[in-house]
Amino acid sequence: MIYKLNLLGFLLIVVAFFLGIKLPDWDFKLKLRHRNILTHSPFVTIIFIALYEIDTSYFFKYFIVGFSSAIAIHMLFDLFPRKWHGGALLKIPFNGITCSKETTKLFFIATSLVSVFLAIFYMTDIKEYYFVLIFSIFIFVKKSKYENATIKPAIIFTFLYLILGILKFEVLFTMLRKIFY
């Protein structure tokens, strides 16, 4: 499957994935409060999408797929902090608001859902879907050493990814139908 994936597309997914998995924590480098809404949301992805819609570079869509998938995964990891206070809560920089635990959870879930949706929306081939799924599993395994929780984020991601993938790719729906019937 992967051998037919455009090599440049493959590289762009990987590079974008590594940028996307790290972007939310750039709030430290940008001298923003941790878990800032500017870096912990689909805001940057939406900027990339707006640029893509202006100039629909075929390869840029691969970047959106990798980046958005990684943002979703990062947000799912952030859903399971050691404790829900201080640095675990979402911050809104414009007026110094720190969101509640419930609002933070809801926002991170919504961001994950939107990010997975955008990643799958910009996929054009089932091979991309499989590649991102396999790469995501690799990332979950790799990050299990450093994250507080891995199983719950992995299950949530897999559930979102499968449900939205079934809606996009008929071959997945057909495959699942054969398994269950």
Side-chain angles (χ1 to χ4, degrees):
M1 280 183 282
I2 293 175
Y3 68 90
K4 288 189 177 182
L5 182 65
N6 180 305
L7 182 59
L8 183 55
F10 165 80
L11 291 174
L12 285 171
I13 288 172
V14 171
V15 168
F17 210 101
F18 284 120
L19 287 172
I21 205 81
K22 295 288 186 188
L23 173 80
D25 289 335
W26 286 3
D27 49 14
F28 293 117
K29 293 177 184 176
L30 298 172
K31 306 274 191 252
L32 300 169
R33 292 175 69 198
H34 186 49
R35 300 249 170 106
N36 191 293
I37 197 167
L38 296 175
T39 59
H40 283 72
S41 71
F43 178 68
V44 175
T45 306
I46 292 167
I47 291 172
F48 287 140
I49 289 169
L51 294 171
Y52 171 74
E53 295 300 329
I54 292 169
D55 179 21
T56 55
S57 166
Y58 180 71
F59 293 110
F60 194 55
K61 71 143 194 106
Y62 287 114
F63 187 87
I64 292 169
V65 167
F67 189 83
S68 194
S69 299
I71 293 290
I73 290 171
H74 189 110
M75 293 299 97
L76 289 171
F77 278 126
D78 282 356
L79 254 174
F80 300 96
R82 290 188 195 339
K83 295 181 182 177
W84 277 106
H85 63 81
L89 301 172
L90 184 68
K91 312 298 186 302
I92 301 175
F94 312 113
N95 51 13
I97 292 177
T98 297
C99 296
S100 68
K101 170 185 171 181
E102 293 76 21
T103 301
T104 300
K105 283 182 175 183
L106 185 63
F107 190 80
F108 286 174
I109 290 168
T111 297
S112 297
L113 178 61
V114 167
S115 296
V116 172
F117 172 81
L118 291 172
I120 292 173
F121 180 82
Y122 281 92
M123 291 177 184
T124 53
D125 191 291
I126 191 69
K127 290 181 283 304
E128 297 165 24
Y129 178 87
Y130 291 137
F131 175 73
V132 170
L133 179 60
I134 291 166
F135 195 71
S136 297
I137 291 168
F138 167 76
I139 294 297
F140 276 110
V141 169
K142 183 177 183 251
K143 298 216 27 101
S144 68
K145 299 175 210 167
Y146 310 106
E147 294 294 336
N148 187 42
T150 304
I151 301 299
K152 289 177 185 176
I155 290 170
I156 295 168
F157 179 81
T158 303
F159 177 77
L160 290 174
Y161 199 75
L162 287 174
I163 295 300
L164 294 173
I166 288 168
L167 296 174
K168 169 87 179 207
F169 298 107
E170 188 175 328
V171 68
L172 290 174
F173 179 75
T174 303
M175 187 173 65
L176 281 175
R177 198 172 70 202
K178 287 179 182 179
I179 291 170
F180 292 109
Y181 291 109

